[in-house]
Amino acid sequence: TMNQFDIDNSDDASSDGAGSRRRSPRFTQWVAYLCASIVALVSSFQAIEAQGNANAVNKRETWAIVCTFIATVATALVVLAHMNSVASVLVVGTKLEAFTVVVLIALWSVTVAIVTDPSNGLAVGEDGEVLFGNLFYSAWAGWGLSVTLVASCMRTVFGFDVRGNMTARAARLTEWAALFACSIVVMGGAANIYDADCTIDGRNVTWCKRTTLAVSLGTVGTLLSMMLVLMKIVSQSPFVLEVLVSFLLFMSWAIGIGYITSELGPGAPIGNIYHFSWFCFFLTFVLGSSCYDDYSAAK
């Protein structure tokens, strides 16, 4: 006889029959999470060794290793729990799994902040270029998987559909929230590069001007998108205001992206600023298109 857990396997987990072993749809995500954690952990040691600092690891490098190690162990335990009939009942689809994901997203947030900081010289260099692709991309992959796992656990464990509720609450709330997050990364990354390269004598004037532009666009994008997100959460944002902000940001990024990611810009090296500047430009285009579609539908 098919039990309720089997019926709801699209949201919660699936049963293997008499053994009652639960394996949720998140199992493949957890396996991918484990792979990203292992790659990040190994790459952290390689990056530190390549710096010649293996015997003199600073506090930030230590934190990077500690966070990736804990993430690897915790993720491995959850994957093993999925494959064990007893442990799966205690972990899969429970508050323990949700708590584990919350802890992991905190660890990955710290890891990303450390390994992508140019001053640490781990995943990226002083100019923001990617030095160790495995560490850079595995760190961001771990963080991204953490976000998807949090959303999935919120839905299956607590019955709260994050994306569904955001969409139902207000149109384009998800996109504005994504733009807010991407703008913060651009602002922070450009500010780090400015502090490292533009506060010393003999600095490249063009480079510093374009870095200042990146900081400015990131700051404006952060403030305006945060304003729209808060307005949508509290009540409803005026449609005209949303159109104006979308148009302003799109035009700003359409012009700025050329300067920021050009040869003499801080986004020229493939790194955080390059990727997230293009994400910001793409999101402003999506927001503008959505506003236009709503306007056309209301005519």
Side-chain angles (χ1 to χ4, degrees), residues 68-80:
T68 52
F69 177 77
I70 295 175
T72 302
V73 172
T75 307
L77 291 175
V78 174
V79 170
L80 292 174

Side-chain angles (χ1 to χ4, degrees), residues 76-147:
L77 291 175
V78 174
V79 170
L80 292 174
H82 276 76
M83 298 185 291
N84 181 273
S85 59
V86 176
S88 63
V89 177
L90 300 175
V91 175
V92 179
T94 66
K95 292 182 180 180
L96 178 59
E97 184 182 14
F99 175 77
T100 302
V101 174
V102 171
V103 172
L104 287 173
I105 195 172
L107 291 173
W108 279 110
S109 297
V110 173
T111 301
V112 167
I114 293 174
V115 303
T116 63
D117 187 342
S119 63
N120 293 328
L122 292 175
V124 299
E126 292 183 356
D127 295 330
E129 75 279 10
V130 175
L131 297 177
F132 295 94
N134 284 344
L135 179 56
F136 179 85
Y137 291 108
S138 62
W140 277 114
W143 187 86
L145 285 166
S146 298
V147 174

Side-chain angles (χ1 to χ4, degrees), residues 48 56-68 114 122:
I48 293 172
V57 181
N58 62 41
K59 289 184 178 180
R60 291 187 177 182
E61 293 169 343
T62 300
W63 270 110
I65 293 174
V66 170
C67 289
T68 52
I114 293 174
L122 292 175

Side-chain angles (χ1 to χ4, degrees), residues 21 25 55 67 78 86 91 103 162 172 202 207 235 242 244 288:
R21 183 173 65 203
N55 296 322
C67 289
V78 174
V86 176
V91 175
V103 172
V162 178
R172 295 176 293 277
W207 171 274
S235 57
E242 192 171 0
L244 290 175

Side-chain angles (χ1 to χ4, degrees), residues 255-267:
I255 298 172
I257 196 75
Y259 289 101
I260 294 171
T261 61
S262 65
E263 182 179 357
L264 295 177

Side-chain angles (χ1 to χ4, degrees), residues 204-239:
N204 186 310
V205 177
T206 301
W207 171 274
C208 292
K209 285 183 177 179
R210 297 186 180 187
T211 302
T212 302
L213 174 63
V215 174
S216 301
L217 283 179
T219 302
V220 172
T222 298
L223 295 176
L224 292 179
S225 57
M226 180 177 64
M227 177 186 70
L228 267 298
V229 167
L230 292 176
M231 292 178 69
K232 285 178 175 291
I233 291 176
V234 174
S235 57
Q236 286 288 335
S237 61
F239 181 70

